[in-house]
Amino acid sequence: MRNTLIGNGVIIQHGGADYYNANIIRRAINNVRSGCFPSHLYPKECADFVTALAKEHNAALNGDYDRYVFTTYDKASLKDFKSRYDRKHKHSPEEIGFEDYFLLFELIHNKLGVKNPERFEHSVVLRRMFLDSVFNQGKIETINERFSDGFVKWLENNDYIFTTNYDSNLDVVTRLPVHHLHGSFNTLSEIYDPNSFRNQLKDDLLDGEEVDLNYPHLYSTCLVSYVGDLKSFSMTQSSLANIGMKKFVKGYQDSPDIRNQIDEWDESNVLVKRLKEAIRLKSERPELQHSEQYPHKELNDISGALEIIGLSPNNDGHLFTQILENENITEIVFNYFSHQEEADAKRLFGSKNISTRDVREFWLDVDNK
């Protein structure tokens, strides 16, 4: 089998500087400053918020926030964060990775003791501002017009196409199933899908919020996080919830004792009340289940060669772990941008049969076919 994993480098190759991190940050701020943004979906204060987060960047590098990290993955993320920046340099807002802003967000909210629902609401609007900038008024969805015929043919020769990108350019040109591991602008998140299992419950979990169909990408499944563990959790959450719900329902239907226990659960706790309602609802409508919107399981199904293009070996470790654990992947072809990436890829995939090549050679090869 031939398989490929595509990252943002492919978008930059064909879409240019608009999709560099610095320009994504700059565009997000400028959109707000110029009034070119949906103010009913994220407020103008988001731009000031990004500036404020950037001011804490050096403090985080210098250890001022070390005491405000509590989980193992946050500690690992902060250590990695410190390793990627020069602490002697004062970084401007556009020099900070847009996903790193979400780590700074967590650190500052931990320090200030901000809890939910305010914390969740703040993260939602920050996410929307950055996603809107990546979407770039829909221009990102037209990049496929610049793909060469050779690249399209190369894509079509793969059995599986995976991508960490949110756009649908690969889907459009190949008309093949493309597995969007981190979500897609074109897929409505289960949170906002009126037909989803969670939205069949009596409580209005969206608190009256309605989806503005002029901006569907801001309600999409796109994962934005500063750490792979959180992306991995989001990718597997629905499948785990379905497994758990299936066990609850089986017990509820098969065991009178379990049924009585669940029926007697105290509904003063909102979460317990929702779980009880969900169990009863699925007992009556067994077809209901949480939509598994992130096709991570397919990474376990592939075999043969996997070629990686447009990804750094130092990001998305949760995906590389899956790849390494799949014994049926016998060969890795890694296209690197720098010699440091090449060395890092060889070290990362050392347990596999790995070959590397300069990504510029890849583009010369496929574009001239």
Side-chain angles (χ1 to χ4, degrees):
M1 294 179 68
R2 286 186 53 180
N3 314 283
T4 187
L5 172 58
I6 303 286
N8 189 51
V10 171
I11 294 300
I12 292 173
Q13 174 69 18
H14 298 92
D18 273 355
Y19 303 97
Y20 289 158
N21 178 84
N23 285 329
I24 290 172
I25 304 300
R26 189 177 294 114
R27 185 164 56 244
I29 294 172
N30 289 345
N31 284 346
V32 172
R33 300 282 192 239
S34 65
C36 183
F37 73 107
S39 59
H40 60 297
L41 298 182
Y42 57 91
K44 61 182 178 61
E45 287 79 11
C46 280
D48 294 331
F49 190 26
V50 168
T51 303
L53 290 173
K55 288 180 179 178
E56 297 302 308
H57 185 264
N58 275 70
L61 290 179
N62 291 321
D64 294 358
Y65 282 89
D66 288 4
R67 56 183 158 161
Y68 301 110
V69 291
F70 309 115
T71 65
T72 301
Y73 59 78
D74 274 355
K75 291 176 182 177
S77 296
L78 183 57
K79 182 179 178 180
D80 173 68
F81 172 84
K82 290 179 179 180
S83 73
R84 290 185 282 104
Y85 294 94
D86 179 1
R87 67 185 61 193
K88 296 179 182 178
H89 173 67
K90 186 175 181 181
H91 296 81
S92 63
E94 59 265 25
E95 291 178 303
I96 301 170
F98 93 85
E99 291 193 337
D100 287 335
Y101 275 103
F102 290 87
L103 175 59
L104 293 171
F105 173 96
E106 292 297 324
L107 295 175
I108 291 172
H109 279 67
N110 285 349
K111 179 180 179 179
L112 298 177
V114 180
K115 307 293 183 183
N116 289 326
E118 290 82 5
R119 187 177 185 131
F120 175 75
E121 291 167 352
H122 296 171
S123 69
V124 167
V125 295
L126 183 64
R127 171 185 178 274
R128 286 180 176 175
M129 183 182 73
F130 282 133
L131 282 182
D132 213 18
S133 180
V134 174
F135 190 65
N136 197 16
Q137 297 180 321
K139 294 176 185 176
I140 194 172
E141 295 287 13
T142 67
I143 288 175
N144 64 84
E145 296 170 5
R146 288 168 242 173
F147 288 177
S148 68
D149 291 341
F151 180 48
V152 173
K153 289 177 182 177
W154 182 90
L155 286 168
E156 291 175 336
N157 282 330
N158 286 279
D159 296 287
Y160 278 86
I161 301 174
F162 297 93
T163 183
T164 57
N165 298 339
Y166 308 138
D167 58 89
S168 60
N169 288 291
L170 301 175
D171 313 62
V172 169
V173 297
T174 64
R175 298 186 181 180
L176 296 172
V178 175
H179 303 286
H180 290 265
L181 295 168
H182 289 166
S184 165
F185 284 133
N186 290 330
T187 305
L188 195 65
S189 171
E190 189 178 37
I191 296 172
Y192 299 104
D193 182 354
N195 299 314
S196 69
F197 186 3
R198 77 188 298 280
N199 286 327
Q200 303 309 303
L201 304 180
K202 293 178 182 177
D203 285 354
D204 181 4
L205 303 184
L206 295 178
D207 196 26
E209 181 182 8
E210 294 185 6
V211 174
D212 185 339
L213 296 178
N214 292 309
Y215 302 92
H217 59 286
L218 300 185
Y219 302 92
S220 66
T221 54
C222 299
L223 291 179
V224 179
S225 175
Y226 59 93
V227 59
D229 284 349
L230 291 180
K231 288 180 179 175
S232 183
F233 172 76
S234 296
M235 290 164 68
T236 59
Q237 187 177 24
S238 291
S239 59
L240 293 175
N242 284 330
I243 292 169
M245 185 57 62
K246 185 176 180 180
K247 291 179 179 178
F248 270 123
V249 170
K250 180 173 173 54
Y252 189 77
Q253 292 175 333
D254 296 349
S255 170
D257 288 341
I258 293 178
R259 187 185 189 94
N260 288 335
Q261 289 178 34
I262 292 175
D263 285 339
E264 292 174 2
W265 280 354
D266 183 4
E267 295 188 11
S268 62
N269 183 299
V270 174
L271 294 178
V272 172
K273 179 182 177 182
R274 287 175 182 164
L275 178 57
K276 181 196 288 190
E277 183 186 356
I279 293 168
R280 288 171 169 172
L281 183 60
K282 186 167 174 63
S283 295
E284 298 169 1
R285 297 173 57 188
E287 76 281 1
L288 287 175
Q289 64 176 357
H290 296 285
S291 176
E292 299 185 21
Q293 298 181 310
Y294 304 100
H296 64 99
K297 292 180 181 177
E298 283 78 354
L299 270 179
N300 302 325
D301 296 335
I302 63 175
S303 60
L306 174 66
E307 186 155 3
I308 301 173
I309 306 162
L311 280 174
S312 166
N314 299 306
N315 296 332
D316 299 310
H318 58 297
L319 299 180
F320 296 142
T321 296
Q322 270 192 271
I323 292 167
L324 288 167
E325 290 176 349
N326 183 343
E327 296 180 356
N328 293 319
I329 297 175
T330 55
E331 180 185 2
I332 300 287
V333 179
F334 192 93
N335 294 275
Y336 62 87
F337 185 74
S338 68
H339 290 298
Q340 184 60 55
E341 279 193 354
E342 179 184 25
D344 291 342
K346 286 181 175 179
R347 182 171 58 253
L348 174 64
F349 296 110
S351 61
K352 299 281 188 183
N353 177 20
I354 178 170
S355 60
T356 60
R357 69 171 160 179
D358 191 313
V359 72
R360 287 159 284 246
E361 294 179 6
F362 170 84
W363 291 119
L364 282 172
D365 185 23
V366 299
D367 288 346
N368 290 322
K369 286 186 177 179

